[in-house]
C-alpha cells in the first residue's frame, strides 16, 4: 500500500501502477459514489462504504487502484483500493469523470 501511495505523485508511476482518478458523484454519510468506466458498471458509477469520508465532497477527484477480470465486455469481479484525494495536477482533463 505504501508503494502505491508514493506512486500517486508521478505521471509515469500512476500509469505503471494502474492508479486512476475518479470524480466523486455523491457522498452520503460513509458511502462514496464515484464515476467509473462502463466495463465496471452499466450506469457508470460504483458506491463504496468508507471508514471516513471527511474532507471528501461531491465534485472532488479521488485515486483508486482497480483490479478486475473481464468477460463479454464487463467486469465479472473487481477489487478496488482507495488511495486518497487525487493530487493537484492529476485530475482528468476536459472535465472527464475518470482517467483510464
Amino acid at each position: 500500500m505504501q508503494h502505491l501511495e508514493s506512486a500517486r505523485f508521478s505521471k509515469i508511476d500512476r500509469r505503471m501502477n494502474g492508479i486512476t482518478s475518479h470524480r466523486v458523484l455523491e457522498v452520503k454519510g460513509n458511502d462514496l459514489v464515484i464515476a467509473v468506466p462502463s466495463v465496471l458498471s452499466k450506469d457508470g458509477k460504483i458506491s463504496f462504504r468508507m471508514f471516513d469520508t471527511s474532507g471528501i465532497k461531491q465534485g472532488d477527484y479521488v485515486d483508486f487502484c482497480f483490479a478486475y477480470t473481464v468477460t463479454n465486455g464487463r467486469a465479472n469481479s473487481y477489487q478496488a483500493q482507495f488511495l486518497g484525494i487525487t493530487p493537484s495536477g492529476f485530475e482528468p482533463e476536459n472535465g472527464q469523470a475518470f482517467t483510464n
Side-chain angles (χ1 to χ4, degrees), residues 3 6-19:
H3 166 71
S6 64
R8 296 175 49 220
F9 301 96
S10 158
K11 193 171 189 173
I12 292 170
D13 285 340
R14 290 175 70 85
R15 174 69 75 184
M16 288 176 55
N17 289 286
I19 298 170

Side-chain angles (χ1 to χ4, degrees), residues 53-96:
T53 59
S54 62
I56 302 173
K57 60 188 180 307
Q58 183 177 349
D60 284 348
Y61 286 91
V62 290
D63 284 347
F64 274 86
C65 185
F66 283 95
Y68 53 91
T69 56
V70 176
T71 303
N72 297 324
R74 292 247 183 253
N76 55 6
S77 67
Y78 66 86
Q79 293 180 348
Q81 185 174 5
F82 172 71
L83 300 173
I85 294 176
T86 302
S88 180
F90 293 103
E91 298 92 354
E93 296 177 356
N94 303 319
Q96 294 175 320

